[in-house]
Amino acid sequence: MKKDYYSVLGLLRGADEREIKKAYRKMAMKFHPDKNKDSGAEEKFKEIAEAYEVLSDPKKKQIYDQYGYEGLKGGPGNPGPQEGKSGGQQSQGAPHFTQTNNGDPKANFSQFFGSSNPFESFFTGAEETMDFEDHLFGGFGQSNRGTPGHTCTKLKEPTIEREVFVSLEDIANGCQKKMKISKNIYKKEGTATQEKKVLKINVKPGWKSGTKITFEKEGDQVPGKIASDVAFIIRDKPHPVFTRDGENILYSCKVELRDALCGTTVKVPTLEGGKVSLDFSEKVIKPTTVRKLKGLGLPSPKDPTKRGDLVVSFDIIFPDEVSETDKNIIRDFL
């Protein structure tokens, strides 16, 4: 069966090394089975890997250009339209050459990009159930060739970042998050082993959203490159009752219009699980009314002994309809 490797990569015959690498990078990313779930994507990915293995190897490419696919298998082959002509005489047979495709397109992908699969989760689990976003792609596929007279400097893989959502209760008191990771260690010969590890994040009281904790060189290890750092970015987990505003926490208290006008006592929940009473029996609650409960907010990250406030605003609930009798009473009253 004849195979047109140039066509597989979307190239014309005579493509140079740079064009071949560029085409492989584009096609491999597009048809990687961990990203592309279409039927036939995995088979296409294998064809792309096979085509790149041949065209990126000068010796294999020369034989393929001259004798075609059959030449790679050691057969006589039939030169293509640009193959095997010298002085008007056609070559009489291909040299014996056995194709050495390793049968693992992901190994080729790993060697090219420096990561076995930039689409899959680097993290395999955590203290809480989490979805993991795609890795950053900066730096994949870059080579690190030295120049004459210069020492070759290893490139470092880009930092892998992951958001960790922490509840306001944990921010208030501090906590420890245990993140289980699974990283690949690649050998020069193309084999890989997997190492599982638990990274511990000690969340300090009052930490702000956006705080970054970095674990150096805990990413995948690839020959010739420095392992990437793994960074966790703290984010506020949405709370069903409160909203964070720096060191303050905000609470919106719903009050019926009748109670807002005639007076009432409201119970305000706290982050610790208690309740604080606010007496409005002799006061009118307006939509602009705000009360601050000192020291019931979040600790200051610089000085945990100092805390913000619990800020209470009011959401006045109006009736959907008012009868004529009630309207007259309201008019007389107001």
Side-chain angles (χ1 to χ4, degrees):
M1 179 182 67
K2 294 184 178 181
K3 293 186 179 182
D4 187 343
Y5 289 137
Y6 287 99
S7 177
V8 170
L9 294 180
L11 295 168
L12 297 176
R13 284 186 174 273
D16 59 23
E17 180 183 1
R18 183 186 62 82
E19 292 172 326
I20 292 169
K21 286 185 175 181
K22 183 178 179 181
Y24 174 71
R25 180 184 293 109
K26 178 181 178 181
M27 298 292 284
M29 281 291 193
K30 180 178 180 181
F31 289 98
H32 194 290
D34 287 339
K35 178 185 178 184
N36 192 327
K37 302 300 182 182
D38 294 342
S39 59
E42 185 170 1
E43 189 61 33
K44 180 69 173 178
F45 181 70
K46 293 178 181 178
E47 292 179 0
I48 292 166
E50 182 179 337
Y52 178 72
E53 182 182 359
V54 171
L55 298 182
S56 64
D57 185 306
K59 186 175 181 181
K60 295 179 186 178
K61 182 175 182 294
Q62 181 182 5
I63 293 174
Y64 176 73
D65 286 345
Q66 188 172 2
Y67 298 105
Y69 177 70
E70 294 298 325
L72 293 173
K73 299 194 299 181
N78 293 312
Q82 300 179 18
E83 301 165 357
K85 294 186 178 180
S86 177
Q89 297 297 317
Q90 186 172 345
S91 299
Q92 298 302 311
H96 181 73
F97 184 88
T98 302
Q99 187 177 351
T100 58
N101 188 292
N102 58 24
D104 185 359
K106 289 191 176 181
N108 292 340
F109 187 91
S110 171
Q111 291 173 1
F112 184 91
F113 287 97
S115 177
S116 63
N117 183 3
F119 306 106
E120 73 180 356
S121 295
F122 178 81
F123 299 92
T124 58
E127 193 175 46
E128 300 173 3
T129 301
M130 304 182 189
D131 295 326
F132 188 64
E133 301 293 332
D134 293 342
H135 288 179
L136 301 177
F137 297 129
F140 285 145
Q142 295 179 350
S143 61
N144 187 25
R145 296 188 179 94
T147 55
H150 291 79
T151 302
C152 184
T153 302
K154 287 185 177 182
L155 291 177
K156 186 171 184 177
E157 291 285 87
T159 299
I160 300 169
E161 295 186 347
R162 173 68 171 95
E163 291 184 332
V164 179
F165 288 86
V166 183
S167 69
L168 292 183
E169 287 83 357
D170 285 341
I171 292 293
N173 300 304
C175 67
Q176 184 181 84
K177 293 289 184 181
K178 296 180 180 179
M179 310 300 295
K180 182 187 294 182
I181 68 169
S182 178
K183 63 181 181 180
N184 296 313
I185 302 175
Y186 296 93
K187 307 297 183 182
K188 290 184 179 180
E189 61 271 19
T191 61
T193 58
Q194 193 173 78
E195 178 181 318
K196 297 183 183 298
K197 191 171 184 179
V198 175
L199 303 179
K200 296 179 180 179
I201 306 173
N202 293 314
V203 179
K204 303 298 182 183
W207 266 6
K208 295 181 179 180
S209 179
T211 299
K212 182 184 290 188
I213 308 93
T214 301
F215 295 86
E216 294 186 352
K217 301 179 183 178
E218 290 292 354
D220 288 351
Q221 295 180 12
V222 179
K225 292 187 178 182
I226 300 173
S228 61
D229 295 338
V230 177
F232 298 97
I233 302 173
I234 301 298
R235 299 295 183 197
D236 293 331
K237 186 177 182 178
H239 198 281
V241 177
F242 303 107
T243 304
R244 183 178 186 177
D245 181 18
E247 295 169 14
N248 295 332
I249 55 175
L250 313 180
Y251 173 70
S252 178
C253 181
K254 294 184 180 294
V255 179
E256 296 285 347
L257 177 61
R258 176 192 60 214
D259 294 333
L261 294 173
C262 301
T264 187
T265 298
V266 298
K267 300 286 188 180
V268 178
T270 67
L271 201 55
E272 290 75 19
K275 289 186 179 294
V276 175
S277 296
L278 294 179
D279 186 6
F280 287 94
S281 57
E282 302 296 330
K283 299 176 183 178
V284 173
I285 301 176
K286 301 177 182 179
T288 56
T289 299
V290 174
R291 290 291 183 270
K292 289 186 178 181
L293 302 178
K294 297 291 184 179
L296 293 182
L298 297 171
S300 167
K302 296 182 179 180
D303 184 0
T305 62
K306 297 180 180 179
R307 300 178 72 97
D309 302 329
L310 172 54
V311 182
V312 184
S313 60
F314 295 89
D315 180 12
I316 310 301
I317 302 173
F318 286 77
D320 294 328
E321 297 178 350
V322 179
S323 67
E324 285 300 323
T325 301
D326 290 339
K327 289 179 182 179
N328 291 330
I329 293 174
I330 293 172
R331 290 190 186 100
D332 294 338
F333 175 75
L334 299 178

